């Protein structure tokens, strides 16, 4: 499956962005991950084909993951952004129904979209 992310950009702290990931096939559990310079890639949010979702503690209540299964698209709505949210954001796909937040669980990855948050 091929994944294409979009929607990144530069915002001030407190602002919002919506990331979009379009997949070339359906039926996968999808995740959003991020990697800041000098840090490991970490799971942010994930959703399965039945709309069961999970979030990292650091974004719970601020970020929302959703899916448009008819268009093989997954969104990440990011509100109340803080400078610590700045990173390259990646979309990933996996077989199975667990909305995992672990990098190793995902064999398919997009190229990423950059999010910058200024204070």
């Amino acid at each position: 499956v091929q994944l294409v992310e979009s929607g990144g950009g530069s915002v001030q702290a407190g602002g919002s962005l919506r990331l979009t990931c379009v997949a070339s096939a359906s039926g996968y559990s999808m995740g959003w991950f991020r990697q800041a310079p000098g840090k490991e890639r970490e799971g942010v949010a994930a959703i399965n084909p039945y709309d069961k979702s999970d979030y990292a503690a650091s974004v719970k209540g601020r970020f929302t993951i959703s899916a448009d299964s008819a268009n093989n698209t997954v969104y990440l709505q990011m509100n109340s952004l803080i400078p610590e949210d700045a990173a390259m954001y990646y979309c990933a796909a996996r077989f199975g129904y667990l909305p995992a937040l672990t990098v190793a669980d995902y064999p398919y990855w997009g190229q990423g979209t950059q999010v910058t948050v200024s204070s």
Side-chain angles (χ1 to χ4, degrees):
V1 60
Q2 294 182 327
L3 306 170
V4 179
E5 304 101 329
S6 63
S10 182
V11 296
Q12 290 190 330
S16 299
L17 282 174
R18 187 175 80 158
L19 306 183
T20 299
C21 173
V22 180
S24 61
S26 61
Y28 293 84
S29 288
M30 305 291 290
W32 282 100
F33 294 77
R34 66 187 182 188
Q35 187 168 19
K39 294 188 176 182
E40 293 187 353
R41 192 171 297 188
E42 62 176 0
V44 174
I47 191 167
N48 75 1
Y50 298 100
D51 288 337
K52 177 178 171 60
S53 59
D54 197 10
Y55 296 89
S58 60
V59 306
K60 198 169 291 186
R62 299 188 298 121
F63 291 11
T64 302
I65 190 169
S66 61
D68 176 359
S69 57
N71 292 298
N72 297 339
T73 301
V74 175
Y75 304 98
L76 184 68
Q77 177 67 43
M78 305 187 295
N79 298 328
S80 302
L81 284 160
I82 59 178
E84 290 77 14
D85 294 320
M88 183 70 80
Y89 281 71
Y90 297 91
C91 178
R94 68 183 299 272
F95 298 109
Y97 299 116
L98 179 67
L101 292 174
T102 305
V103 171
D105 285 331
Y106 287 82
Y108 305 106
W109 293 84
Q111 294 300 305
T113 185
Q114 183 70 45
V115 172
T116 303
V117 184
S118 57
S119 58

